[in-house]
Amino acid sequence: MLAINPALARVPAPPISQAARWAQTYDGRAGPLINLSQAVPGNAPPEDLARRLGEAAASAEGARYGAVLGDTVLREAYSADVSALYGAPVAPSEVAVTAGCNQAFFVAVMTVAGAGDAVILPVPFYFNHQMTLDMLGIEIRPLETRPEDGFVPTLDGLKTAMSDKVKAVALVTPNNPTGAIYPPETIEAIYDFCAENGLWLILDETYRDFLPAGNRAPHGLFGKPDWREHLVGLYSFSKSYAIPGHRMGAMTGGADFLAEAEKVLDSLQICAPRPPQAVLAWAIGGLTDYRRTTAAEIEARAEVFRNAMAPHPDWRIEQLGAYFAYVRHPFPGIPAAVVAERLARELGIVTLPGPFFGPGNENHLRIAFANVSSERLGHLGERLALAQALFAEETVHG
């Protein structure tokens, strides 16, 4: 076999694909599959949005190349939405449209760091962020977080993670995998640290539309006079509008940053998909009520999940928010990957093991409850009762 790029060869297989293979072997013996492995909307997009997508896809304009940084109509609509949310002006020229938020992260990292540099990630971290950094030859500097702190990073932890190689700090809030919602004061303190030390803050807010109702703005960073020199904001349209297959994300940054990011985008995609850009420009304002209703439904689903778990206190919910719960399983002597695989293959409960999200997570599972109906979530407790017997005789051989 011919040689493979060693940096890529060291990257583990995609976790969702591994979980899908486990699920494929489940024979239904315990009831319908409860797939809690992936953060993906469980419903179709709104009917009006779907109709408009079809019309846009059938148009001549929708089939043509567009601007590398995104179509003006969507950049204008998104910048207006961001400006209103954060109470600070963000210009359309400070927005780029990407083929999903994963691509936005890839582009942001390539723009601010290179092979041999380092990026700080709070642990546990989103596995695709790890995969991106590993394949680009960028060192991950772990910022340790603790359950007793709600998995919220601290400034002391950030200082401990620093080295002279660090070019950026990457945060995800609401967090994937833990569901932790970082307080505005924490986000701003980390931003100030980055600004003082000449670093970029890459802030992934994929799940911000699912913050609890009545929350204030997630942070005040766009009101900082120097934000364009230190901040890159990331966002996903996938969850908010139930269109993950259309691959739509956004990136907010200063003119100098976007001028360099445009080179990466042009090499990766040329332009983001055109039909959803046209439709999302309408949907940002036209589906405001839909977004609020969906967020309320997900919040209610979280309560159903809590109730299903309540009779099983050995399965400890250590954090929960937005789309995710981070749960400590009750089998400390058994590797989390073994727990997750057997739950999927034998009980039809598909989760992701903690080690997929970095070291030191052997006793945890990530549960993405948002994509499963409340009715099906309600049966989770029954399955967990079966799990106790399933692992009673489990022996781990070193």
Side-chain angles (χ1 to χ4, degrees), residues 125-287:
F125 41 63
Y126 176 39
F127 51 76
N128 280 147
H129 289 180
Q130 176 194 17
M131 293 169 73
T132 294
L133 295 170
D134 284 350
M135 69 179 66
L136 292 175
I138 297 171
E139 178 189 355
I140 294 172
R141 297 285 298 176
L143 195 176
E144 301 297 337
T145 65
R146 306 186 307 165
E148 51 266 43
D149 296 328
F151 295 103
V152 174
T154 64
L155 204 53
D156 286 343
L158 177 58
K159 293 174 181 176
T160 300
M162 273 295 294
S163 80
D164 57 7
K165 294 182 179 181
V166 173
K167 302 298 182 184
V169 178
L171 304 180
V172 182
T173 178
N175 186 256
N176 179 3
T178 66
I181 297 170
Y182 298 169
E185 296 79 11
T186 297
I187 299 172
E188 294 187 29
I190 292 175
Y191 172 87
D192 289 341
F193 179 88
C194 290
E196 291 164 6
N197 289 276
L199 306 177
W200 289 94
L201 174 59
I202 301 173
L203 186 61
D204 183 336
E205 296 185 277
T206 290
Y207 303 96
R208 73 169 178 233
D209 288 333
F210 303 94
L211 288 166
N215 268 22
R216 54 182 167 156
H219 55 79
L221 302 189
F222 290 115
K224 302 269 190 180
D226 60 351
W227 77 263
R228 296 164 182 85
E229 301 166 22
H230 298 287
L231 176 65
V232 182
L234 309 183
Y235 176 73
S236 170
F237 296 98
S238 296
K239 279 72 178 178
S240 301
Y241 300 94
I243 54 168
H246 289 279
R247 309 309 304 130
M248 292 298 297
M251 186 165 55
T252 308
D256 291 343
F257 169 84
L258 288 182
E260 301 305 317
E262 185 176 21
K263 302 172 187 177
V264 186
L265 284 167
D266 189 40
S267 299
L268 285 176
Q269 69 177 39
I270 300 179
C271 66
R274 301 293 308 290
Q277 289 194 66
V279 176
L280 285 170
W282 159 80
I284 286 173
L287 292 179

Side-chain angles (χ1 to χ4, degrees), residues 301-322:
R301 213 166 286 172
E303 191 60 27
V304 172
F305 173 76
R306 286 186 187 276
N307 291 337
M309 298 289 287
H312 307 281
D314 288 346
W315 293 80
R316 192 162 78 230
I317 301 174
E318 295 202 319
Q319 186 54 272
L320 182 151

Side-chain angles (χ1 to χ4, degrees), residues 20-46:
R21 286 191 284 272
W22 299 337
Q24 286 169 0
T25 65
Y26 174 59
D27 60 10
R29 72 184 76 170
L33 190 75
I34 303 176
N35 194 338
L36 304 161
S37 67
Q38 189 171 23
V40 59
N43 54 288

